[in-house]
Amino acid sequence: MAYKTPGVYVKEVSLFPPSVAQVETAIPAFVGYTKIAVDPNGKDLTNRPVKIKSLVEFQSLYGDGYTPASYKVVADATKGNALVSVTPEKQFYLYDALRQFFDNGGGDCYIVSVGSFSASIDFTSLKNGFDQLRKFDEPTLLLSPDAVGDRKSVV
């Protein structure tokens, strides 16, 4: 440090680490449908909030994403059988949302499985999953990617 004028100068030296500690600001909770919901001991995890740290941990407890068994294909015969739409028989988004969450640097989160892929997407089941989270203070961001599949209920 170069001083250009004479005088008394004070140089502050901190002996302590920074006083602000880094903490999680938002812990998300994902509610939706999964392939399975079983812990390593064989105990059912349906409608039980579970804190996980990685996609690998999710896959070990809840399985992989949903693969549609069939698609509905609509073609327009007047336009040379051009495709109009291709729609899966049903679709679940929880696994894909979690994969993107962890791919983009996500950390700890809670998972609530409200049923398996054999079930129909239902607003009441999703709401019951959110109700299970009331016992926990940590989750501050509530998500249900599968809620877009409940076309019968409008909230």
Side-chain angles (χ1 to χ4, degrees), residues 70-127:
S70 64
Y71 292 87
K72 178 182 176 185
V73 178
V74 178
D76 187 351
T78 63
K79 295 182 181 175
N81 290 329
L83 282 178
V84 175
S85 67
V86 177
T87 311
E89 32 81 49
K90 59 177 150 176
Q91 204 161 359
F92 298 97
Y93 299 103
L94 179 63
Y95 176 80
D96 293 322
L98 273 167
R99 186 177 44 82
Q100 291 174 2
F101 172 72
F102 286 116
D103 283 352
N104 286 291
D108 294 354
C109 67
Y110 282 83
I111 305 296
V112 182
S113 175
V114 296
S116 69
F117 294 150
S118 62
S120 296
I121 297 172
D122 176 52
F123 174 77
T124 305
S125 297
L126 294 172
K127 184 182 178 311

Side-chain angles (χ1 to χ4, degrees), residues 12-57:
E12 293 184 29
V13 178
S14 177
L15 300 175
F16 300 104
S19 62
V20 178
Q22 183 177 356
V23 295
E24 301 277 349
T25 57
I27 303 289
F30 292 87
V31 177
Y33 294 84
T34 59
K35 185 175 187 176
I36 58 171
V38 181
D39 73 2
N41 299 325
K43 190 172 180 181
D44 186 27
L45 296 176
T46 304
N47 286 318
R48 284 190 42 218
V50 176
K51 189 173 183 178
I52 65 167
K53 299 178 183 297
S54 68
L55 187 61
V56 172
E57 189 174 359

